[in-house]
Amino acid sequence: MKKVSLCLIVSCVFSINVFADTFGTGENQFEIDFVTISGSTNPSSGSGIVSNDYRMGQFEITNAQWTKFTNTYGIPDGSPSNAYDESSSFTGENVPVQKISWYEAAQFVNWLNVSTGHQAAYKFTGTQGTGDYTFSPWDITDSGYNSNNPYRNSNSFYFLPTEDEWIKAAYWNGTEIQDYATKAGDTLHQGDGLSGTGWNYWDWDAGYATDPYGPWDVGSGSEELNGTYDMMGNVYEWLESPYNAGEYLSDAMRGSLGGSYYDHDGILLSSYRNDDFPDYENVLLGLRVASVPEPATLTFIAIGGLLLRRKRK
């Protein structure tokens, strides 16, 4: 679980380092970093209204994390079979995993939960690891059923973000939903994956951000508004939410947001939405994980107006 250390840096200045949640064991152990998103302020209307605190993954899930998951869990399988028949085209360990269907992403999140003693977020019936393993929404007879969101068990700890959770984490500045996920004083610009600034998207004039084009290692560009990386560009990310509000069917289209290395900057806008069927696997599509907050999460202590944070990858 989350480890928090308090370090005295200089007189009257403290830094809180918030470390990742840890999963797996031995050579298959890995961490996921989270940033806390406050529920204390919200847009007055539209997308991004989430009144509870929650945590958003700081980075997209990588090939290395996915491989350590499959080494422990096995290769996800189930029905329909075409949701489980692709693997990443870009194979670097620290690039985001791609060609992941929504059903595969749901099984990954379920393993994060059950392997750490929590309730699975998503309901599957049949035998895990076989072709009859099938997703369905929770129903009123299930413990943890939530009529407002039958996809997610209300007792789960880790989950795919809803559209509102994703948009708030990316674009909410405490006053409004911004057009882009840029920090104050920053502007949207291409990066190169080496300099530590910018985003990985296609530009009408400059072309692709990297040569050769493709997703870069997560966290290679600019830190975003609320401490995340690559919520704009790199790869699209699955949402928990159905594309059509209230359509909680097992095969209903799911949303995905964030754009990719292959898309222009207009796709990175907070007003843009995308949708795909949950069995869809595409080289532009990956995932990011969200979580409920730890009961006693400490995000920082700033004395004298100076805040020191440590970026961990």
Side-chain angles (χ1 to χ4, degrees), residues 30 61-69 91-95 97:
F30 65 92
I61 297 301
T62 66
N63 279 325
Q65 291 168 322
W66 186 264
T67 297
K68 290 179 179 182
F69 153 66
T91 57
E93 286 194 351
N94 294 317
V95 302
V97 65

Side-chain angles (χ1 to χ4, degrees), residues 270-306:
S270 58
S271 57
Y272 180 81
R273 297 181 66 207
N274 189 48
D275 66 288
D276 292 296
F277 286 105
D279 60 354
Y280 186 58
E281 298 172 297
N282 187 279
V283 70
L284 305 181
L285 187 54
L287 74 148
R288 186 183 302 259
V289 174
S291 171
V292 300
E294 293 285 358
T297 296
L298 295 176
T299 55
F300 65 84
I301 294 177
I303 299 178
L306 178 60

Side-chain angles (χ1 to χ4, degrees), residues 226-270:
N226 291 308
T228 59
Y229 291 79
D230 299 312
M231 293 190 84
M232 300 190 300
N234 227 26
V235 295
Y236 286 93
E237 300 166 14
W238 279 115
L239 303 177
E240 183 180 78
S241 306
Y243 183 71
N244 295 314
E247 191 180 73
Y248 288 101
L249 306 174
S250 61
D251 59 353
M253 282 187 167
R254 309 299 203 272
S256 61
L257 290 174
S260 75
Y261 64 86
Y262 197 77
D263 292 287
H264 61 81
D265 58 358
I267 306 300
L268 312 184
L269 285 163
S270 58

Side-chain angles (χ1 to χ4, degrees), residues 154-212:
S154 62
N155 296 320
S156 62
F157 197 85
Y158 303 101
F159 40 83
L160 296 172
T162 63
E163 180 176 357
D164 286 325
E165 289 165 340
W166 198 99
I167 287 177
K168 186 174 188 180
Y171 301 109
W172 175 245
N173 64 16
T175 302
E176 62 181 355
I177 296 291
Q178 297 184 174
D179 287 339
Y180 295 107
T182 51
K183 295 174 68 174
D186 201 358
T187 58
L188 183 68
H189 57 283
Q190 272 193 334
D192 57 14
L194 302 173
S195 65
T197 66
W199 286 268
N200 188 5
Y201 65 94
W202 179 79
D203 183 83
W204 296 104
D205 297 317
Y208 295 105
T210 63
D211 183 17

